[in-house]
C-alpha cells in the first residue's frame, strides 16, 4: 500500500474528465487500496482517483463512524435522483473550506465492484452526498464550482495564501 499525494484546488488536473475502466484488474485493485489508505490517513470520507491524479473512474468511500465500511465503486453512474438536501461540504482538495451545497437527497447508483461485477444500490444521507461529490470529481468538477464567482475567487485567494505559508 502507499499514500498518494492529493491535488489541491485550483490545480487544472482536477478538471480532467476520468475515463471508464475497461477491466477491473490488479492495477485497479492496487489503486483502490492506495486510495483507501490515503483517504483514511487524510482523514476523509471519500476520495476520487482524479484527486490523486489518476484519471480513471474509481472512487472509495467510508462514511461509518468506526471507519470499517469501505466502499469501492468502479465506473459509478447515477441512475436516478430523488428529493433535495442542503448540507455543508468539505473536500480534501480544498482544505479548510466548508460550504453549503444542494444535492439530491437519494440516488440510485450502478457501479462495478473490485471483482468487476455490476451492482446497484440506493443511497441517502451522507453516503448519497458523498457519491455525488465523488462522481463530480471524476467529471472534473470540484464542489466550489457550485458557489458564486465571488466565493470561488475568495477561496482561490485563501488557498494561495495557505500554499505560500506552508511552502
Ligand atoms: O472528507 C470529505 N468530507 C465530505 C463532507 C461533506 C461532503 C463531502 C465530503 S467528501 C470529502 C472527501 C473528498 O474530498 N472527497 O472527494
Ligand atoms: Ni472532494
Amino acid at each position: 500500500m502507499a499514500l498518494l499525494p492529493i491535488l489541491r484546488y485550483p490545480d487544472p488536473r482536477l478538471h480532467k474528465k476520468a475515463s471508464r475502466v475497461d477491466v477491473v484488474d490488479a492495477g485497479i485493485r492496487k489503486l483502490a487500496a492506495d486510495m483507501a489508505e490515503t483517504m483514511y490517513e487524510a482523514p476523509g470520507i471519500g476520495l476520487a482517483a482524479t484527486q490523486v491524479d489518476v484519471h480513471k473512474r474509481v472512487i472509495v468511500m467510508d462514511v461509518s463512524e468506526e471507519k470499517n465500511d469501505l466502499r469501492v465503486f468502479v465506473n459509478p453512474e447515477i441512475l436516478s435522483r430523488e428529493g433535495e438536501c442542503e448540507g455543508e461540504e468539505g473536500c480534501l482538495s480544498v482544505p479548510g473550506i466548508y460550504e453549503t451545497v444542494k444535492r439530491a437527497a437519494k440516488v440510485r447508483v450502478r457501479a462495478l465492484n473490485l471483482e468487476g461485477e455490476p451492482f446497484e444500490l440506493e443511497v441517502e444521507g451522507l453516503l448519497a452526498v458523498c457519491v455525488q461529490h465523488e462522481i463530480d470529481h471524476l467529471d472534473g468538477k470540484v464542489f466550489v464550482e457550485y458557489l458564486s464567482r465571488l466565493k470561488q475567487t475568495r477561496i482561490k485567494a485563501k488557498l494561495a495564501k495557505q500554499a505560500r505559508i506552508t511552502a
Side-chain angles (χ1 to χ4, degrees), residues 2-4 8 11-12 18 22-23 25 27 38 48 51 57 60 64 77 80 83 86 88 97 109 122 140 148 156 167:
L3 285 177
L4 306 169
R8 297 278 183 101
D11 192 307
D22 291 328
V23 184
D25 58 12
T38 303
Q51 292 176 277
R57 303 189 78 83
V60 298
S64 70
E77 281 178 80
S80 60
E86 262 187 348
E88 189 147 280
I97 306 290
V109 186
E122 190 156 75
S148 68
K156 281 181 190 161

Side-chain angles (χ1 to χ4, degrees), residues 78-99:
I78 295 183
L79 302 174
S80 60
R81 298 173 165 78
E82 238 182 273
E84 259 184 16
C85 73
E86 262 187 348
E88 189 147 280
E89 296 195 14
C91 181
L92 295 173
S93 296
V94 196
I97 306 290
Y98 302 90
E99 294 282 351

